[in-house]
Amino acid sequence: MDSPILRMEHITKKFPGVTALDDVSLEVYPGTIHGLCGENGAGKSTLMNVLSGMHPYGSYDGKIIYDGEECRFTKIKDSERKGIVIIHQELALNPYMSIGENMFLGNECGNSVRIDWSETYRQAETFLEVVGLKESPRTLIQDIGVGKQQLVEIAKAFAKNVRLLILDEPTASLNEEDSQNLLKLLLSFKNEGMTCILISHKLHEVEQVADKITIIRDGGVVETLVKGVDDIDERRIAQGMVGRELNDYYPKREARPIGDICLEVKNWIVHHPQYRHRKICDDINLTVRRGEVVGISGLMGAGRTELAMSIFGKSYGADISGEFYINGQRVELKSIKEAIQNKLAYVTEDRKSLGLVLSNAIRENITLANTKRVAQLGSVIDKDVERNHAGAYAKDFGVRCSSIEQEVGNLSGGNQQKVLLAKWMFAEPDILILDEPTRGIDVGAKYEIYTMVNDLIEQGKSVLMISSDMPELLGMCDRIYVMNEGKIVGELTREEANQEAIMMMILQASTRREK
């Protein structure tokens, strides 16, 4: 049997007040795909940051043995010289630069005096061909979709002579088709001898491609499962992650009568803010009833997020027209402030840029959308009141933190998402718009968020849920609208809805457009 290409031995990494990794050991064999699974905050990304040199030698205990020799990386460049390349969930690409420029940024072709642009684009074209991306290397990053940007990152890794590729949530922002294409690409790389470590909360994808799966919980290794030896399925992996058996991914909701229409959109049209001739949302009509979860399904680029943002105080779009009703009363929400005042909340898909202030404390983020509740005389924040409220909400939402004074930017993705939800619940909404509410978070945190949604519904509140995860919509929603190219192309009840029916509506709508 081959010797491991990588051994991480007894790795312990501490942050102030927190032990992120506790005596973790990991072996990865050449020419394999090694899955790394665990809840948010379990230590997966921290372990990979130790490996890549982002957490430099001396800031942790333990050894890294790569290719038979001990490595003491002090920066990312050190690991990249060895052929270890990490691709983070948040893609590190400059949208205003070309594909070729991004691929060789910091690794330029040429000499200390000048960059050889001809060689840059020639090599970029070669590596793009390797990953199957048929785009000119001179195309700007902002002009290609997220799926293609992910391929650019992988091509960029090949430009650094990658031998061990680490992918952290590579399919979190991709639709099902792009996800499957990426997984097939990884399998083809494996067949050519490349080694890969795959971190993902999409357990069916890990099960599909990984030869071994190491499960981490609370900073320690629980077990390593081997394909062909252990009985591996999603439920088995999830059980190891959360420390208990998950009998149902979607908590049961008590049957209760659905109330009157509380939100209605009629003939809603939204134009692109820069290219005003282009309709992003075209004649949208939808309703949400009290005590109902309504889903919006569609492929990436269908206009779902743009619709949600335009509804939420016209925070996206230009030349918006149509009618908007809350509890039967026509309203004109011209700003986010007016939307909040009308008991509307929007949990954005982009929590880091649009949802949270990462440099601020958990306490400040939770109270941000409703500071009047913690203010004296309507203007001065009462810190004691704020601490009490924020502490209670952080506890209710299960936020794992050292204290509510911890910076949100130092939390795991799942805990950031819980803070974002707590922030909007603190605003006391009646209608909650959730945009990709569980993207990039683990199965245990997902279950907790679904439970929170059910609690809201039982209180008579309403939820409009946008998700690229079809099983999530099917498991949580009472009705589902299907969007394609800015239009509502169908509506399905819970009983009618399934993945085939949704995709058929999208395909039929696309076929009609082509004719």
Side-chain angles (χ1 to χ4, degrees):
M1 187 176 180
D2 290 337
S3 299
I5 190 173
L6 170 71
R7 292 204 318 272
M8 302 185 76
E9 299 179 348
H10 309 293
I11 303 294
T12 297
K13 171 65 179 174
K14 296 182 179 180
F15 296 103
V18 178
T19 300
L21 298 170
D22 187 8
D23 196 32
V24 171
S25 294
L26 176 73
E27 288 188 346
V28 177
Y29 286 82
T32 66
I33 297 176
H34 196 111
L36 198 56
C37 294
E39 293 187 279
N40 292 103
K44 310 179 299 297
S45 296
T46 302
L47 184 64
M48 293 301 98
N49 288 338
V50 166
L51 172 58
S52 67
M54 186 174 290
H55 296 318
Y57 177 77
S59 68
Y60 61 88
D61 295 326
K63 290 182 180 180
I64 297 172
I65 313 294
Y66 181 73
D67 250 359
E69 62 180 55
E70 184 176 353
C71 298
R72 298 179 175 181
F73 302 135
T74 58
K75 54 186 180 297
I76 289 177
K77 279 284 187 185
D78 294 343
S79 62
E80 288 182 346
R81 289 191 192 99
K82 290 282 189 179
I84 302 171
V85 179
I86 185 168
I87 299 175
H88 295 280
Q89 182 176 347
E90 285 80 26
L91 302 181
L93 299 172
N94 186 322
Y96 306 110
M97 296 176 72
S98 69
I99 290 172
E101 288 172 314
N102 271 278
M103 283 176 58
F104 289 94
L105 191 61
N107 185 34
E108 288 80 5
C109 299
N111 53 43
S112 58
V113 177
R114 59 181 290 275
I115 295 172
D116 187 335
W117 290 112
S118 296
E119 182 65 12
T120 296
Y121 287 116
R122 187 193 68 77
Q123 287 198 35
E125 198 162 1
T126 300
F127 291 121
L128 290 176
E129 190 175 334
V130 170
V131 301
L133 182 54
K134 297 176 181 178
E135 290 283 349
S136 165
R138 298 177 186 273
T139 301
L140 295 181
I141 290 294
Q142 66 180 3
D143 293 333
I144 61 175
V146 178
K148 291 182 178 181
Q149 289 180 24
Q150 189 69 259
L151 294 179
V152 171
E153 280 281 22
I154 296 174
K156 184 177 174 182
F158 273 93
K160 296 174 181 175
N161 299 313
V162 62
R163 294 180 59 215
L164 173 59
L165 180 64
I166 305 163
L167 292 160
D168 193 349
E169 298 292 347
T171 63
S173 300
L174 304 186
N175 61 36
E176 188 65 24
E177 183 181 358
D178 286 341
S179 296
Q180 287 301 314
N181 289 338
L182 179 57
L183 296 177
K184 288 175 185 175
L185 189 63
L186 294 183
L187 288 171
S188 70
F189 293 157
K190 183 187 91 166
N191 292 335
E192 294 168 8
M194 194 175 78
T195 309
C196 178
I197 296 175
L198 174 63
I199 301 173
S200 180
H201 291 308
K202 294 185 178 180
L203 303 186
H204 66 285
E205 294 181 355
V206 180
E207 176 195 351
Q208 181 181 337
V209 300
D211 300 288
K212 290 185 177 182
I213 301 169
T214 295
I215 300 171
I216 296 179
R217 185 168 72 237
D218 296 331
V221 171
V222 175
E223 59 186 337
T224 295
L225 305 174
V226 181
K227 185 171 285 186
V229 176
D230 296 299
D231 184 16
I232 302 176
D233 59 23
E234 288 182 62
R235 197 172 300 278
R236 176 75 180 79
I237 301 168
Q239 182 179 343
M241 287 169 56
V242 302
R244 65 184 188 281
E245 189 171 353
L246 282 177
N247 295 316
D248 199 338
Y249 287 113
Y250 305 100
K252 295 288 189 295
R253 191 161 72 234
E254 286 188 24
R256 54 176 293 157
I258 290 173
D260 296 331
I261 293 173
C262 60
L263 181 149
E264 185 171 12
V265 176
K266 288 184 178 180
N267 311 121
W268 197 253
I269 296 174
V270 180
H271 291 83
H272 193 284
Q274 277 82 45
Y275 309 105
R276 297 203 172 193
H277 63 280
R278 182 178 158 204
K279 289 182 183 177
I280 301 299
C281 300
D282 189 0
D283 197 28
I284 299 292
N285 292 275
L286 63 80
T287 60
V288 181
R289 294 178 177 272
R290 192 169 288 106
E292 185 181 35
V293 180
V294 174
I296 303 182
S297 181
L299 301 178
M300 195 171 293
R304 297 167 301 164
T305 292
E306 292 83 356
L307 171 62
M309 292 180 70
S310 68
I311 288 172
F312 188 61
K314 297 185 177 178
S315 51
Y316 172 87
D319 303 327
I320 298 172
S321 62
E323 299 175 12
F324 189 78
Y325 296 84
I326 293 179
N327 296 324
Q329 297 294 314
R330 185 171 179 179
V331 293
E332 186 80 19
L333 306 180
K334 298 178 182 177
S335 67
I336 291 173
K337 182 179 179 180
E338 289 184 9
I340 295 170
Q341 288 171 344
N342 280 271
K343 300 293 186 179
L344 194 63
Y346 171 58
V347 178
T348 174
E349 65 172 341
D350 188 354
R351 59 181 172 255
K352 292 197 172 183
S353 298
L354 302 177
L356 299 167
V357 182
L358 298 182
S359 59
N360 282 10
I362 295 167
R363 165 181 55 80
E364 296 165 306
N365 274 276
I366 287 177
T367 61
L368 190 59
N370 193 7
T371 53
K372 286 194 296 186
R373 280 184 70 184
V374 294
Q376 292 179 335
L377 304 175
S379 58
V380 180
I381 301 295
D382 186 323
K383 292 294 179 63
D384 290 333
V385 173
E386 186 180 47
R387 286 189 195 96
N388 289 337
H389 278 302
Y393 271 75
K395 183 178 179 182
D396 288 345
F397 279 75
V399 179
R400 293 184 183 179
C401 57
S402 55
S403 80
I404 57 170
E405 301 303 324
Q406 185 176 349
E407 284 187 12
V408 168
N410 292 330
L411 297 176
S412 66
N415 284 302
Q416 288 180 359
Q417 189 71 4
K418 290 176 185 178
V419 172
L420 182 58
L421 282 163
K423 164 190 163 181
W424 285 114
M425 287 303 96
F426 188 70
E428 302 176 300
D430 289 332
I431 303 163
L432 181 65
I433 303 172
L434 297 174
D435 194 351
E436 303 289 359
T438 64
R439 173 177 287 171
I441 64 175
D442 64 76
V443 65
K446 284 183 181 181
Y447 191 90
E448 291 174 10
I449 288 172
Y450 299 148
T451 300
M452 293 170 199
V453 170
N454 285 352
D455 289 344
L456 289 172
I457 295 304
E458 288 177 10
Q459 295 168 29
K461 299 181 187 294
S462 308
V463 173
L464 184 63
M465 179 184 288
I466 298 167
S467 178
S468 300
D469 187 341
M470 282 197 202
E472 179 171 83
L473 291 178
L474 297 171
M476 291 298 297
C477 296
D478 300 294
R479 284 186 297 128
I480 298 174
Y481 288 103
V482 181
M483 276 190 78
N484 185 59
E485 297 181 13
K487 287 181 174 288
I488 298 283
V489 297
E491 178 185 352
L492 297 164
T493 65
R494 177 187 284 270
E495 292 72 29
E496 295 168 334
N498 56 57
Q499 294 198 38
E500 292 76 15
I502 291 170
M503 286 307 302
M504 187 58 67
M505 283 183 170
I506 293 171
L507 292 172
Q508 287 175 346
S510 297
T511 301
R512 287 195 297 269
R513 287 283 179 91
E514 289 171 4
K515 289 180 179 178

